[in-house]
Amino acid sequence: MAKDKIALLEKVGLFRACSRKELDYIARVTDEVRVEAGRVLAAKDQPGHEFFLILEGTAVVQIDNGINLGPGDFFGEMALLDGGPRLASVVAQTDMDLIVLGHREFSSLIGEVPTISRAIMKVLAQRLREAEAGHTL
Ligand code: CMP
């Protein structure tokens, strides 16, 4: 597996606790993609087929006044986890470098790599907490 891709993945927070073997596996099932500012990466109420992890650039989740996401953040997990539509639109604010996983690769990744499943669950719990706090402000 290309050493530079592994080196890139090692720096991503979501993959920090992964072993070398797990990183090899992640490198095999992920794609790196560059998108331009303004690209709609997820469309509210539409079916979702991809999970995105930000390497460079920023995106905004179009909820309330907008939730900003940057390097190390991920999105698109919800529609893949429960099969429901996208909860919100997510739009690239700048040109972005992303790691993208299709539905099948995402499912196999969370099945094969427990450290990643736990990290995603932790972020989901934090987002629920923040959303709940937002409702009571
Ligand atoms: P999904 O519903 O597949 O597509 C839209 C994405 O926006 C969603 O997955 C999450 O990744 C992200 N998202 C939704 N709500 C929030 C939130 N409150 N905070 C951060 N990200 C969110």
Side-chain angles (χ1 to χ4, degrees):
M1 190 50 59
K3 282 208 183 68
D4 49 351
K5 187 162 184 192
I6 299 283
L8 188 74
L9 294 174
E10 272 173 345
K11 295 198 198 98
V12 174
L14 182 61
F15 304 140
R16 197 154 290 148
C18 292
S19 66
R20 174 66 202 218
K21 199 169 151 224
E22 288 169 339
L23 287 172
D24 277 341
Y25 176 77
I26 294 162
R28 271 204 305 281
V29 298
T30 55
D31 285 323
E32 280 173 71
V33 174
R34 169 157 276 237
V35 300
E36 293 189 353
R39 170 84 78 91
V40 178
L41 298 162
K44 182 175 163 56
D45 296 333
Q46 297 299 307
H49 305 291
E50 288 152 323
F51 169 83
F52 301 89
L53 178 71
I54 303 175
L55 294 176
E56 289 290 338
T58 59
V60 63
V61 182
Q62 294 182 328
I63 291 178
D64 300 328
N65 295 328
I67 297 164
N68 295 312
L69 302 178
D73 291 331
F74 61 78
F75 60 93
E77 75 292 346
M78 296 178 98
L80 299 193
L81 287 170
D82 72 357
R86 295 293 196 199
L87 186 83
S89 293
V90 184
V91 180
Q93 277 182 311
T94 64
D95 293 352
M96 301 180 78
D97 290 329
L98 298 158
I99 286 180
V100 182
L101 280 110
H103 198 165
R104 191 179 315 149
E105 291 73 24
F106 177 74
S107 295
S108 67
L109 192 67
I110 58 176
E112 298 286 331
V113 190
T115 48
I116 293 184
S117 310
R118 276 196 291 273
I120 290 174
M121 286 193 278
K122 187 173 171 185
V123 171
L124 278 171
Q126 287 166 344
R127 286 180 179 166
L128 184 59
R129 240 179 240 289
E130 283 164 21
E132 200 54 38
H135 289 311
T136 56
L137 286 177

